[in-house]
Amino acid sequence: MSDKVDIKPAGWKLVEVGRVVFIRLGAHEGKLATIVEIIDPNRVLVDGPSKTEGRAVPRSAIPLSAVSLTPFVINKLPKAAGTGAVAKLWEKDEIDKKWSESSWANKRGQQERRRNLTDFERFKVMRLKKQTTFETKKALAKVKA
Amino acid sequence: MSSADANSATTKKFGKGERTVPHHTQKASKFYPAYDEKQPRKTRKSIKPTKYRESLQPGAVLILLAGRFRGKRVVLLKHLDQGALLVTGPFKVNGVPLRRVNSRYVIATQTKIDISGIESSTLDKVSKPDYFVREKKSKSEKGEDAFFKQGEKPEAKKPTSARATDQKSVDKPILSAIKKQDMLASYLASNFSLRHGQRPHEMKF
């Protein structure tokens, strides 16, 4: 064993001030907010001053069981910052843009679209999926041969 | 004596005068009946025309849920009375003939097919209630001969040629409309079934 030991910080997403969370339950289901203050081990104060229509979350306490942590953090968000300050930093860090580009948001969008398909459209999706798998399998067989 | 004046009063002469004597059936009864005759109860309800769901518009693609053709996707042609619908496969695509179905045992989809090409005269002819009445057996099929033929295999029932031509004339414009849209023919030919994780009350059709 050498004298030097590499210690890396854990890659966990932490419950911290500035952490952007995704709200899974309640009236603001499917929206983003950032943690402004940690109230107790189970609850946090969140604020989601998004400028996008219908995406804003008013400042409120929310149980941690109702949110999922996203990989985004608003850097240098002071503890217990007011809505105005949060909105400024939210805009500066381009949280909305980062979210819409993330695979998480894409997947959700796809699920939403799939849920609203009509019977005929579902049939078309099924057919096209079959066609793509057929093509990939054909290509794979060609490579293997 | 004809039946018209059977119950009419007769005029009789008595000396100088005369009087009319009513027919004996017209006279009031001498006795009350010992028992009250039961009067049939008056119905206060009336048969109202069925109100069909808004999604059941002619030309819509339906999914049949009951009967011999359950799971088939068919085209709605017309509303009949008492909650019945007139549908067709078309026969060439999925084997469903012109048929009456109960509107309750049907899922309406948002897919629409243009059925304006169908002649209204053929559609009217086909949508009459007696069009679907089963043909009565002739006497020879019911009588003695039929009794002795019981053991033998009966001849398979075949649709009459008139029905086949009606079917073709109704289906022809539908088939040309189906051809215009990609994958629509194979969609109508396929059967509907629920797959894993699909909940019909949460699905859109």
Side-chain angles (χ1 to χ4, degrees):
Chain A
M1 239 174 120
S2 62
D3 314 305
K4 282 181 183 172
V5 181
D6 269 348
I7 299 174
K8 285 180 190 166
W12 295 340
K13 290 175 272 188
L14 302 172
V15 175
E16 60 191 313
V17 171
R19 170 70 61 182
V20 176
V21 296
F22 175 80
I23 299 173
R24 279 186 288 115
L25 304 168
H28 299 290
E29 187 193 335
K31 294 180 194 172
L32 291 184
T34 183
I35 296 177
V36 175
E37 190 152 31
I38 299 165
I39 299 170
D40 64 27
N42 299 322
R43 280 191 312 151
V44 288
L45 185 66
V46 296
D47 201 348
S50 174
K51 286 272 169 63
T52 321
E53 182 92 3
R55 299 283 299 167
V57 178
R59 193 182 183 90
S60 60
I62 193 166
L64 282 169
S65 59
V67 302
S68 294
L69 303 178
T70 70
F72 317 126
V73 184
I74 297 177
N75 287 319
K76 292 173 188 167
L77 182 74
K79 203 174 159 218
T83 305
V86 175
K88 229 181 236 172
L89 285 170
W90 183 283
E91 196 124 304
K92 197 184 153 209
D93 277 21
E94 296 176 324
I95 297 299
D96 284 335
K97 197 184 156 209
K98 279 183 195 166
W99 169 251
S100 63
E101 283 167 359
S102 68
S103 62
W104 188 344
N106 275 338
K107 191 82 189 163
R108 269 184 62 81
Q110 194 196 24
Q111 281 170 350
E112 185 64 29
R113 233 179 305 144
R114 283 279 163 91
R115 211 174 298 133
N116 289 323
L117 290 186
T118 67
D119 193 44
F120 185 30
E121 285 164 344
R122 268 196 297 276
F123 177 81
K124 281 192 213 164
V125 167
M126 188 262 286
R127 266 293 152 83
L128 295 171
K129 256 184 166 177
K130 275 187 175 174
Q131 282 174 14
T132 52
T133 47
F134 177 71
E135 289 299 325
T136 48
K137 275 184 181 172
K138 209 162 74 173
L140 189 68
K142 220 177 199 178
V143 171
K144 274 186 179 174
Chain B
M1 223 180 184
S2 66
S3 60
D5 50 24
N7 295 339
S8 62
T10 50
T11 316
K12 285 188 176 177
K13 283 187 176 175
F14 288 94
K16 287 177 187 172
E18 59 170 32
R19 58 174 166 162
T20 53
V21 181
H23 193 257
H24 68 88
T25 54
Q26 302 295 322
K27 278 204 273 189
S29 175
K30 279 183 182 170
F31 312 104
Y32 286 113
Y35 296 101
D36 286 340
E37 248 177 68
K38 274 192 177 170
Q39 295 291 325
R41 194 181 277 195
K42 266 185 190 168
T43 47
R44 288 185 292 178
K45 292 168 189 167
S46 59
I47 299 170
K48 286 174 201 152
T50 321
K51 207 180 169 210
Y52 293 91
R53 273 171 277 158
E54 222 162 84
S55 52
L56 292 173
Q57 293 299 330
V61 172
L62 310 180
I63 300 167
L64 302 184
L65 299 177
R68 188 157 109 70
F69 295 103
R70 69 189 84 98
K72 297 274 187 190
R73 292 175 170 119
V74 298
V75 182
L76 172 60
L77 296 176
K78 203 179 173 184
H79 294 169
L80 304 177
D81 53 353
Q82 294 178 21
L85 303 171
L86 183 69
V87 301
T88 181
F91 186 75
K92 204 179 175 188
V93 173
N94 55 18
V96 181
L98 278 167
R99 203 173 153 77
R100 289 179 300 182
V101 295
N102 188 338
S103 64
R104 284 281 156 204
Y105 294 94
V106 129
I107 295 174
T109 70
Q110 289 166 38
T111 315
K112 278 262 175 105
I113 292 170
D114 179 33
I115 61 160
S116 56
I118 302 173
E119 274 183 49
S120 58
S121 60
T122 41
L123 201 57
D124 284 341
K125 179 182 149 200
V126 153
S127 59
K128 274 182 187 141
D130 53 350
Y131 187 80
F132 292 99
V133 170
R134 183 175 297 182
E135 279 175 36
K136 275 193 176 153
K137 279 182 179 175
S138 63
K139 244 186 182 173
S140 66
E141 285 169 36
K142 265 185 185 170
E144 209 171 294
D145 294 348
F147 181 76
F148 288 111
K149 273 186 188 167
Q150 269 181 350
E152 292 167 31
K153 222 179 180 184
E155 266 181 53
K157 238 170 102 181
K158 275 181 193 164
T160 59
S161 58
R163 262 169 199 278
T165 50
D166 285 344
Q167 180 77 55
K168 268 177 201 158
S169 64
V170 168
D171 284 358
K172 206 183 170 195
I174 302 179
L175 285 170
S176 63
I178 288 169
K179 249 183 214 169
K180 280 176 198 158
Q181 218 172 331
D182 196 27
M183 282 202 257
L184 190 55
S186 60
Y187 167 67
L188 286 169
S190 67
N191 281 10
F192 171 78
S193 70
L194 286 175
R195 272 156 240 288
H196 186 67
Q198 286 187 325
R199 297 182 215 163
H201 59 285
E202 284 174 357
M203 281 159 70
K204 280 185 182 167
F205 291 92

